[in-house]
């Protein structure tokens, strides 16, 4: 069953989402070539705990860390490791927290130094597709409208592969609640979006094939062709004609601007 949230509950989810984004901003301020995923993970965990919250992913289904850190051909669910990042890497960092009984969830894909133009375009358009999906998250629309926004833009307009095996989700007192939020679908189909629905929308988009494979660690998801993959996520509340975006990528992007080792996500028009 779907849990529709009260205004008070939505504010609690927002506070958790903002802690997630402050944590991702802190991580972004330290991200550069030579740094390891494990170092970022420790930083994130300390930041979350110092705010009186707990990491949302640590121990979830047995996941060993606070952050999912997914480099280059890794789509999602990468386990932080001791291998230093290098110039030209793209790094998707996904973070969840639980505070005062409610979860927050957001993700961002970063570019370390100069990255290939086609890869930067993938990041830019994946982020765009998230915003197009959020525009569809309004009362009276259907879930298919949200997924179709991502699929049409990424597949038809840009020829990318939209991952099918992993989807967004409801969020609240649980990290993953019903309903599923696919990044594909048909307009006008699927469950109706009602006031109080809170969902994490998270396009996972591949430069090449949409096919993915899972590594023997039981977590790491890679693109089948080992081409790069991007992942951007916002948690949003369906409240009326326009979604209320509870997470804030702006905080992360401020940190990117101040970090000379990271490139902003943009393309030449
Ligand atoms: Mg996430
Ligand atoms: Mg999520």
């Amino acid at each position: 069953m779907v849990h529709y949230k009260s205004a008070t509950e939505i504010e609690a989810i927002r506070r958790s989402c903002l802690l997630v984004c402050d944590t991702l901003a802190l991580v972004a301020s330290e991200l550069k070539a030579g740094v390891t995923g494990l170092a970022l993970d420790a930083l994130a965990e300390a930041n979350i705990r110092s705010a009186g919250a707990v990491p949302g992913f640590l121990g979830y289904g047995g996941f060993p860390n606070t952050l999912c850190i997914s480099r280059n051909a890794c789509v999602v669910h990468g386990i932080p490791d001791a291998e230093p990042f290098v110039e030209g890497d793209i790094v998707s960092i996904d973070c969840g927290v639980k505070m005062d009984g409610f979860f927050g969830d957001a993700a961002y894909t970063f570019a370390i130094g100069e990255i290939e133009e086609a890869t930067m375009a993938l990041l830019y358009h994946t982020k765009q597709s998230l915003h197009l999906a959020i525009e569809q998250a309004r009362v009276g629309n259907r879930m298919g409208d949200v997924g179709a926004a991502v699929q049409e833009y990424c597949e038809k307009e840009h020829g990318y592969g939209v991952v099918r095996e992993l989807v967004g989700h409801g969020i609240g007192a649980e990290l993953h609640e019903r309903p599923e939020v696919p990044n594909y679908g048909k307009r006008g189909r699927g469950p109706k979006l009602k006031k109080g629905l809170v969902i994490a929308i998270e396009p996972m988009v591949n430069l090449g094939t949409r096919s993915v494979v899972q590594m023997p660690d039981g977590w790491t998801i890679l693109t089948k062709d080992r081409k790069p993959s991007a992942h951007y996520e916002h948690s949003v509340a369906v409240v009326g004609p326009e979604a209320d975006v509870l997470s804030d990528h702006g905080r992360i992007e401020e940190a990117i601007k101040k970090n000379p080792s990271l490139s902003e996500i943009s393309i030449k028009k």
Side-chain angles (χ1 to χ4, degrees), residues 57 94-95 105-107 169 202 231 233:
F57 300 166
D94 196 346
C95 182
D105 190 5
H169 50 92
E202 46 182 316
H231 179 216
E233 177 179 29

Side-chain angles (χ1 to χ4, degrees), residues 71-75 90 116 119 122 205-216 220-230:
R71 289 167 76 171
N72 301 322
C74 184
V75 180
I90 60 164
E116 283 179 32
T119 307
L122 171 72
V205 182
N206 301 344
L207 187 58
T209 178
R210 74 184 197 209
S211 299
V212 298
V213 290
Q214 189 175 45
M215 292 297 95
T220 310
I221 305 288
L222 298 182
T223 57
K224 197 170 179 193
D225 58 11
R226 302 301 193 267
K227 289 186 180 174
S229 183

Side-chain angles (χ1 to χ4, degrees), residues 117-136:
E117 201 175 316
T119 307
M120 179 56 88
L122 171 72
L123 302 190
Y124 177 83
H125 292 304
T126 302
K127 200 152 85 75
Q128 283 295 108
S129 78
L130 171 57
H131 293 295
L132 293 172
I134 290 170
E135 279 176 20
Q136 296 298 320

